[in-house]
Amino acid sequence: MLETLIDTYGDGAVLAMAGVLVGVIFGAAAQHSRFCLRAATIEVAERGLGPRLSIWIIAFSAGVLAVQGAIAMGVLDVSQSRQLAATGSLSGAIIGGLMFGAGMILARGCASRLLVLSATGNLRALVTGLVLTIVAQSSLRGVLSPAREGLATLWTVPGGAARDLLAHLGLTSAAAATLAAAALAGGVALAVLRHVRSSHVLAGIGVGLAVGLGWLATYAIAQTSFEVIPISSVTFTGPSTDTLMGLVNSTSLPLGFGVGLVPGVLAGAAATALVTREWKIERFGPDTPMERYLAGAALMGFGSMLAGGCAVGAGMSGGAIFALTAWVAVTAMWVGAMATHLLVARPTRRAVPG
């Protein structure tokens, strides 16, 4: 069937269709589960193990379980993915991850969360996401690219086994899948303890499964096609910049997985918000200063390109295949977010009445 689709519509169109499908699943699941790395880091920074942390653990571990389980069963091979095969940057993962973590606190959401919120009528998220995308494009090919390249070359790691965290740990994919299953069980237990709705738990699992489906879909298409097709999964900064630049610079948009992913996420999140009656217009206000959002967007735009992806692209998709730089980046995002939250949300002392 896949071969027939490729022969009929071409590689790009089939990749775009796969992107739409994965995007719809991710968008719907992320909206309903309230999946958000920023919210999870805030709970940990405030010394609490709350519902948002449980959802993040569930989504992350479900993604790892799906991907490593597929590898263990021999139906997926990610060794040629960019995150493993190409030269990586540990300095970029650290510095970019810290910047991204700080930015998502200021902007009240990471790249994926801003995209999901934009589909629910949140104009703050829409404006912030556009600024993030423009800064990311400038960091990739524009005026900020020399600074990004300079920071990225400070500490590099070659592709292959040196960038494979499982190889460093001496673990197999089956062992990684087993550990992920245990983490998933722990996340579900925490969710039950914190009275998280069962539908939110299932949606959190759906977020992780969307990441696994992305890897499986692009791998299957790459194996079927006669062209060289890079395998990938859910990520947002790169596809968002490609989509935006394609729309403003060209009369036609080259089709690919990322081009289908972005509108798919918007459609899935918007449909879920409409069904649950959560769609509403939200604007900047006195309690939501625009300058703070724009600063956060700039930090995330540059940081994501330096770190090799956003909280989902590097943190979940890269983390699910155990790319060393991805795990370093997501750790730095956690550190940067928690430190920034503690700095900007420091409680003010109140005068005690005499």
Side-chain angles (χ1 to χ4, degrees):
M1 178 181 178
L2 186 57
E3 185 175 354
T4 302
L5 287 174
I6 291 175
D7 290 339
T8 304
Y9 301 104
D11 300 323
V14 175
L15 282 168
M17 287 188 284
V20 170
L21 174 62
V22 172
V24 168
I25 295 172
F26 184 95
Q31 165 59 19
H32 187 64
S33 67
R34 307 297 192 273
F35 170 76
C36 180
L37 177 59
R38 165 190 166 270
T41 60
I42 290 176
E43 287 184 346
V44 176
E46 295 179 350
R47 301 179 182 180
L49 303 178
R52 295 300 182 88
L53 176 62
S54 70
I55 291 297
W56 189 86
I57 293 173
I58 288 169
F60 183 82
S61 55
V64 174
L65 177 58
V67 172
Q68 294 301 318
I71 295 173
M73 291 186 292
V75 298
L76 175 64
D77 181 7
V78 296
S79 60
Q80 296 306 310
S81 63
R82 175 184 59 82
Q83 292 95 324
L84 290 175
T87 299
S89 172
L90 288 172
S91 59
I94 295 170
I95 300 171
L98 291 172
M99 293 178 67
F100 191 94
M104 70 181 180
I105 293 296
L106 296 176
R108 300 185 68 178
C110 65
S112 63
R113 186 61 181 161
L114 293 176
L115 185 61
V116 169
L117 288 176
S118 298
T120 68
N122 191 316
L123 300 182
R124 299 191 305 268
L126 178 61
V127 172
T128 306
L130 288 173
V131 174
L132 187 160
T133 302
I134 293 171
V135 174
Q137 178 66 19
S138 177
S139 305
L140 181 63
R141 299 188 180 92
V143 68
L144 296 177
S145 61
R148 176 188 59 79
E149 292 171 357
L151 292 173
T153 55
L154 292 176
W155 185 9
T156 60
V157 57
R163 205 173 172 187
D164 187 346
L165 186 58
L166 288 181
H168 286 286
L169 297 175
L171 295 175
T172 64
S173 291
T178 301
L179 292 174
L184 177 58
V188 172
L190 178 60
V192 172
L193 185 64
R194 297 306 182 205
H195 307 291
V196 177
R197 291 169 53 186
S198 58
S199 63
H200 288 186
V201 172
L202 292 174
I205 294 174
V207 171
L209 292 180
V211 171
L213 181 59
W215 283 115
L216 284 166
T218 56
Y219 175 73
I221 295 170
Q223 291 295 105
T224 306
S225 174
F226 290 105
E227 303 295 330
V228 177
I229 296 176
I231 63 172
S232 61
S233 187
V234 182
T235 186
F236 293 104
T237 311
S240 296
T241 59
D242 291 341
T243 302
L244 179 62
M245 292 303 106
L247 291 174
V248 300
N249 286 332
S250 176
T251 56
S252 61
L253 189 63
L255 296 176
F257 182 79
V259 170
L261 180 70
V262 173
V265 170
L266 290 171
T272 303
L274 289 170
V275 169
T276 56
R277 298 183 180 180
E278 295 173 331
W279 199 97
K280 64 177 180 178
I281 296 293
E282 294 187 44
R283 304 176 178 86
F284 290 102
D287 296 331
T288 54
M290 187 174 185
E291 62 273 16
R292 175 170 163 169
Y293 282 76
L294 298 184
L299 285 171
M300 283 195 290
F302 186 85
S304 61
M305 286 302 174
L306 181 58
C310 61
V312 172
M316 288 193 63
S317 294
I321 63 172
F322 281 86
L324 174 62
T325 49
W327 280 76
V328 172
V330 74
T331 300
M333 290 176 190
W334 274 85
V335 173
M338 290 191 294
T340 303
H341 173 72
L342 292 175
L343 286 173
V344 302
R346 184 177 299 168
T348 57
R349 296 188 177 184
R350 296 180 179 180
V352 179

